[in-house]
Amino acid sequence: MITVADYINRVRVRLDDVDATPYLWSDQEIVDALNDSLIDAALRADLTVQMNYPIPFTQVSPGGAWNDTYALPSRITDIRSVRLASRPGTTLTRASVRRNEALYNGRPTSSAAHPLRYFPDITLAGKGLDKGLLVRSIQFSPTPTAADTALVDIARLPAELSLDDLEGIPEIDAMWQPDLVYGITARLLLKNDMETYKPKQSEKDFEKFEGVFGMRVPASVLRERQTDVPREMIVY
């Protein structure tokens, strides 16, 4: 396992920035490049973190109607499946706004006593740790009518690393951690300074990074995966 402190040391050795006074790159610049490389690698190679995220159903007001849309934590790349705590053996059907508008001229209605399907949907203003961010949401159909908890199996990007925790470790498999160094140095070598700007060396390191983690997934493709129904989940 490679810690934040290890990355800083490895990068300084690779860039011959061990004895410079002051350093050509600050510790914060190295950690920023580490986080950029970590997210880039995760998107390229689908190195996401799988976790279960519970969503307790809530009411608009005490004794009133139930909410059908709930914000999800930031950094989510996909919703893999959804079950209800009251019906753990049943998986809700994934739908999409576009697909249902095409099939039903709008979202289908139902009088079922519990949600049957879910929509990865519109962005909402984040709360708590996500305050100030726009986050994704999930909408249930039909609207919940009683207390229950949705158990949402999600894939998210690895958490950011920080100088405040030098023992922090990237949330990806240990076998991929060493190769993040190529992405870090490729970015640092584009720092606009006479002693640090080395685009040819940066290009070589980026080629090594790309050789390990693959090509970058276009944003339009990733967004399609997030909001629409994957082809393998469509049942005709």
Side-chain angles (χ1 to χ4, degrees), residues 158-181:
E160 282 195 355
L161 297 164
S162 170
L163 272 177
D164 294 333
D165 182 12
L166 291 175
E167 296 303 311
I169 298 172
E171 288 185 303
I172 61 175
D173 290 346
M175 65 185 296
W176 306 118
Q177 292 176 9
D179 296 303
L180 291 177
V181 171

Side-chain angles (χ1 to χ4, degrees), residues 5-33:
D6 292 332
Y7 278 110
I8 293 173
N9 292 332
R10 292 189 183 198
V11 167
R12 291 205 184 284
V13 170
R14 183 170 177 77
L15 296 179
D16 195 20
D17 189 29
V18 176
D19 300 320
T21 305
Y23 289 133
L24 298 177
W25 292 272
S26 68
D27 287 352
Q28 187 60 61
E29 286 176 319
I30 294 176
V31 173
D32 288 344

Side-chain angles (χ1 to χ4, degrees), residues 15 21 63 126 133 139 146 191 196 229:
L15 296 179
T21 305
L133 301 175
Q139 182 174 13
K191 180 179 179 179
T196 60
V229 182

Side-chain angles (χ1 to χ4, degrees), residues 79-96:
I79 300 171
R80 301 294 173 86
S81 66
V82 181
R83 295 175 292 112
L84 298 179
S86 63
R87 302 168 61 85
T90 302
T91 301
L92 272 63
T93 301
R94 176 166 173 163
S96 75

Side-chain angles (χ1 to χ4, degrees), residues 48-60:
T48 51
V49 179
Q50 311 299 312
M51 62 178 291
N52 189 271
Y53 183 72
I55 300 178
F57 292 153
T58 60
Q59 291 175 281
V60 177

